[in-house]
Structure formats: C-alpha cells, structure tokens
Amino acid sequence: SSLNYLTDGENFILVKGIDECHIILNNQTTEHIIIKSLTNVRISCSENKIDEDYMEILIGKGTCVEFYLLENNWYIVSSDGLKLDQS
C-alpha cells in the first residue's frame, strides 16, 4: 500500500489499497519476484533496463507479472498482460 516501494528480497508483492504505485526492482537484494496489481503500477529497476529495452513498464488493475534478474538485467518471464512505455 506504499506509493513508492524498493524491493528487498521478497518473492511476491500484492499492490492494493492505493490509486497508483511505483515499484523499483532492486538489483542488489532481489533476484525473482511476482507482482500482482489491484491498481495501476509503474515498475522500474535500480540498474539497467527491463527486457534490455524498457526503463519502466506500466501494469493495470488485475495484472500479474513475474520477473527474473539475470546478468544484472531484469527479464519478464511471465505475464497476463502489460502496457509498455519505452522511455
């Protein structure tokens, strides 16, 4: 329920109870994470890009996305729908 959140090694985050949220995937503490959103969420990472192309992605209400960190880059390995924003 935080407006801004930096991951800290957790495996799962459920975002709810707020209008929007910004989650930063922390390359130093987190290697795998699933994010389930019941609101609008902007996801970015502390270093490099997501899928080697995106500075951030936007997911909407009801979306679930799974990320893995490999060679200091975040990769989407599973999702049920995304809105991409290439910045």
Side-chain angles (χ1 to χ4, degrees):
S1 61
S2 299
L3 295 178
N4 293 290
Y5 186 79
L6 179 66
T7 62
D8 191 23
E10 55 275 269
N11 294 315
F12 178 79
I13 293 177
L14 174 63
V15 183
K16 66 178 188 174
I18 53 178
D19 290 333
E20 58 185 47
C21 177
H22 178 206
I23 295 176
I24 302 167
L25 304 174
N26 188 338
N27 292 40
Q28 303 303 311
T29 62
T30 309
E31 294 180 358
H32 169 246
I33 193 159
I34 298 170
I35 299 172
K36 173 67 177 179
S37 173
L38 300 180
T39 188
N40 293 317
V41 178
R42 180 169 48 108
I43 302 169
S44 61
C45 46
S46 62
E47 300 174 34
N48 298 326
K49 296 181 179 179
I50 298 169
D51 282 351
E52 299 180 8
D53 283 328
Y54 303 100
M55 297 299 292
E56 64 183 23
I57 63 167
L58 305 174
I59 62 174
K61 183 176 181 177
T63 302
C64 186
V65 63
E66 181 176 10
F67 296 91
Y68 271 100
L69 181 67
L70 178 65
E71 298 175 349
N72 211 36
N73 289 294
W74 286 97
Y75 295 94
I76 299 168
V77 295
S78 179
S79 74
D80 62 0
L82 297 175
K83 298 176 187 175
L84 299 176
D85 182 16
Q86 193 168 6
S87 300

